[in-house]
Amino acid sequence: MSVERSDATLRLNDGTELLSDLWTPAGQGPWPALLMRQPYGRRIASTVTLAHPSWWAEQGYLVVVQDVRGQGDSAGRFTGFDQEAVDTAETHAWVRNLPHCNGRLGCYGFSYQGLTQLVASDGATPPDCMAPAMTGLNERDHWSCEGGAHWWHLGLGWGLQLAALKASRDGDQDAWLAIRQSLESGSYLRDGPSLLASHDPDGMAWRWLRQDPQKEAVWTQHTCSKDWLQRPMLLIGGWWDPHLLGILDLWTRSLEAGGEPQLHIGPATHLQWWSQAQHLLLGFFDQHLKGGSTKPQGNGIRLWNLTRMEWKTSSVDSVVDSVPPRTPRTWNLIADGLACLDQDHGLLDHARPSEGVVCVVHDPWRPVPAVGGHLSPSAGAADRSGIDCRGDVACFTSDALEECLTLEGQPMLMLQASADQPGFDLCVALSRLPSDSVAAEQLSTGVLRVCGEAARTRASYRIRLQPLLASLFPGDRLRVSIAAAAWPAIGINPGDPLIACGAPSAQHRVVSMTLHLAGSQLGLIPFTSGKLDCN
């Protein structure tokens, strides 16, 4: 007898019917259940990153994949994240009471399906365990913005995907085709806002793009109750995933609540994970749903070293700053006006004081492109040596290292800057220059947006970069690159607060940005410091 798939309907107390696919194992039950709640059509079941439900059923689990309210074949109106907490308790109770379920429940899924595991109405009973991957609770800092700038490529692409689903559900083939063609041609980078306004005006993504990233009070931060954070939790993140800070925030919240979460950050983008991730999940669920455990078993941490290409495993109690005592914790930036024209002219040094002034001219006609990292269309590892050769990128490079250097934590760059226009962006990359190559292996990126007349006045800024674990070897060099654009990871800053950030236009201004290097410093905040900037 093989695994069986069937449809199942949950009728909520308000009369709304939610549709699910049930995958039932062969043989005699009942079995523990795995639940995924998602908005993209339940037949997909997140198979872009997760094993097909039939595989999970073959491992001895009743698998339930639900279309959330207003999506797929479920009734109701889809309003995004705000709706999910209301439906959680009823869905969980329904799954636990299915004839083939033994009452034990685990939740799995990534991105949107990660958030649906975490939110519930007050007093709701938590699942026995959960495995939220690549997700977060803060709609601004974990879902749509970085450094005061909207995610442009990602925000538009995801919003248009949801808009296309809405068009398909409404039977509007013309709208679906217009959205699809914009994504295929790349015109969504310019036309995306108007398409969202026309075809999904009440959608969550369009609302986010109209909210000011620099006004924290207008943004929603969802909550996860303490008893849920104390449940066994497997957190999966990727070094090149835009939601990594959300996963680290959940890890911190769980630890503070008295939980013992497992944290795994691997060589993964949002849609491409490492090969052993499925067995990692299976082992977690087997432990907590089949072994009878009701308490987290250890707080293991596994981090992939980006350059050693291997895992580092430890626990919360044993994790310490991995930088050896003789290794500098900070580096100073030193240069003059040639740092944008000679890649070896700007210096990164831990002994000499920072000094110099560098002018970076941003021309919106040919903005500096984003490559690799966690926000660009080419997310992942990247060689940025070609970008660093540009005359609108300032480079600061260390001498060849005499000993190994391990970077573990969140890089932060402190820098004074000003511009001749009321707006500029600081787009920063941290790279390794291997001793045996001409490549510039990008390790981490970050951005900070400055808007308004204050941009004309010299001021101190802090740019946070994506957390990382990477080792440099004797002969390698470390580099910081600074530009005024990262297109299309973020929209172009027009240098005018009256003009919207976005695709280059005739109204965008040339911006001369001045970097005042005195007092500038690159630092590293260790994972265990409790000071990671996750929000």
Side-chain angles (χ1 to χ4, degrees):
M1 184 177 181
S2 61
V3 169
E4 293 185 358
R5 190 204 67 80
S6 60
D7 297 323
T9 302
L10 163 61
R11 186 177 181 85
L12 299 170
N13 289 335
D14 66 2
T16 303
E17 292 187 344
L18 304 184
L19 273 291
S20 297
D21 273 356
L22 267 59
W23 296 84
T24 307
Q28 296 296 316
W31 298 273
L34 294 180
L35 170 66
M36 177 191 297
R37 299 169 58 211
Q38 56 86 52
Y40 305 112
R42 64 189 189 276
R43 298 296 167 86
I44 298 175
S46 290
T47 48
V48 66
T49 59
L50 294 164
H52 191 274
S54 62
W55 183 83
W56 292 103
E58 289 171 354
Q59 313 312 311
Y61 291 96
L62 172 66
V63 184
V64 182
V65 183
Q66 181 190 75
D67 286 334
V68 300
R69 179 186 292 258
Q71 292 293 87
D73 294 320
S74 289
R77 177 172 171 268
F78 178 68
T79 60
F81 290 162
D82 291 341
Q83 73 182 38
E84 298 306 342
V86 176
D87 297 338
T88 296
E90 287 186 70
T91 297
H92 285 197
W94 173 70
V95 172
R96 289 184 189 273
N97 286 288
L98 287 170
H100 296 296
C101 180
N102 65 6
R104 297 190 65 79
L105 172 64
C107 297
Y108 79 118
F110 84 118
S111 198
Y112 194 107
Q113 299 85 277
L115 183 128
T116 59
Q117 300 175 50
L118 300 164
V119 295
S121 53
D122 292 342
T125 301
D128 295 289
C129 61
M130 64 187 93
M134 300 184 176
T135 191
L137 295 170
N138 189 314
E139 290 188 3
R140 183 186 70 167
D141 297 317
H142 304 157
W143 282 96
S144 61
C145 304
E146 180 166 326
H150 288 106
W151 299 348
W152 195 250
H153 149 72
L154 286 172
L156 289 174
W158 184 58
L160 290 171
Q161 179 185 5
L162 291 175
L165 289 170
K166 178 180 183 297
S168 179
R169 185 180 170 93
D170 295 342
D172 190 342
Q173 296 183 20
D174 290 340
W176 188 96
L177 184 59
I179 292 168
R180 181 65 194 182
Q181 287 177 336
S182 76
L183 292 167
E184 290 175 348
S185 68
S187 65
Y188 73 100
L189 295 172
R190 183 173 301 278
D191 303 332
S194 60
L195 288 169
L196 289 175
S198 296
H199 301 303
D200 197 8
D202 298 323
M204 182 167 53
W206 180 229
R207 171 170 58 83
W208 287 348
L209 283 169
R210 288 177 292 159
Q211 291 178 180
D212 189 342
Q214 303 195 16
K215 294 181 179 178
E216 185 177 7
V218 304
W219 292 85
T220 299
Q221 180 158 191
H222 300 273
T223 59
C224 184
S225 63
K226 183 176 180 179
D227 56 339
W228 287 56
L229 291 168
Q230 292 172 338
R231 302 305 299 159
M233 186 180 296
L234 172 61
L235 298 168
I236 294 178
W239 292 127
W240 306 301
D241 178 60
H243 309 287
L244 178 57
L245 291 179
I247 285 296
L248 289 169
D249 177 63
L250 285 168
W251 177 59
T252 300
R253 288 172 182 268
S254 178
L255 289 172
E256 291 175 346
E260 296 182 2
Q262 296 183 37
L263 175 67
H264 297 254
I265 305 176
T269 66
H270 195 58
L271 298 180
Q272 188 169 1
W273 295 8
W274 61 96
S275 60
Q276 296 302 311
Q278 309 306 312
H279 290 285
L280 171 65
L281 285 160
L282 179 61
F284 173 78
F285 288 127
D286 282 350
Q287 177 185 2
H288 296 292
L289 295 177
K290 294 182 178 180
S293 173
T294 58
K295 179 181 182 300
Q297 301 295 312
N299 46 27
I301 301 173
R302 292 177 74 235
L303 306 177
W304 178 261
N305 190 308
L306 290 166
T307 54
R308 290 189 181 277
M309 307 290 284
E310 63 186 22
W311 290 98
K312 173 188 173 183
T313 303
S314 54
S315 69
V316 169
D317 295 332
S318 65
V319 171
V320 295
D321 184 2
S322 61
V323 181
R326 290 186 297 162
T327 300
R329 294 174 180 268
T330 59
W331 297 264
N332 303 321
L333 279 63
I334 306 161
D336 59 24
L338 295 181
C340 290
L341 296 173
D342 185 341
Q343 296 177 65
D344 295 320
H345 193 83
L347 303 178
L348 198 61
D349 195 284
H350 67 277
R352 292 176 53 186
S354 53
E355 61 178 349
V357 176
V358 176
C359 185
V360 179
V361 178
H362 160 64
D363 179 359
W365 183 260
R366 55 183 301 273
V368 175
V371 60
H374 63 292
L375 294 181
S376 83
S378 57
D383 174 9
R384 62 173 293 116
S385 57
I387 294 176
D388 285 351
C389 287
R390 292 174 56 118
D392 50 0
V393 179
C395 295
F396 306 85
T397 308
S398 74
D399 291 334
L401 300 176
E402 296 180 357
E403 59 182 11
C404 286
L405 168 66
T406 298
L407 306 174
E408 181 176 351
Q410 185 175 38
M412 289 280 186
L413 178 63
M414 302 296 295
L415 183 71
Q416 291 189 353
S418 61
D420 66 344
Q421 303 294 334
F424 65 89
D425 289 343
L426 289 163
C427 303
V428 180
L430 184 66
S431 304
R432 169 195 174 223
L433 277 59
S435 60
D436 59 352
S437 170
V438 297
E441 297 178 356
Q442 184 173 274
L443 301 173
S444 177
T445 58
V447 63
L448 180 71
R449 172 155 291 166
V450 181
C451 296
E453 287 299 323
R456 297 183 185 270
T457 303
R458 176 176 172 176
S460 295
Y461 298 102
R462 181 183 69 169
I463 305 97
R464 72 177 187 183
L465 281 71
Q466 183 85 332
L468 81 164
L469 170 59
S471 295
L472 279 69
F473 309 105
D476 291 350
R477 294 182 293 163
L478 185 67
R479 172 178 290 174
V480 169
S481 309
I482 304 175
W487 172 255
I490 59 169
I492 303 300
N493 190 325
D496 183 345
L498 300 180
I499 299 173
C501 298
S505 74
Q507 289 74 43
H508 279 59
R509 301 176 179 180
V510 173
V511 177
S512 292
M513 181 175 70
T514 302
L515 309 179
H516 309 274
L517 301 180
S520 62
Q521 191 173 81
L522 173 69
L524 189 71
I525 301 175
F527 287 112
T528 53
S529 68
K531 299 179 181 178
L532 288 182
D533 192 354
C534 297
N535 295 292

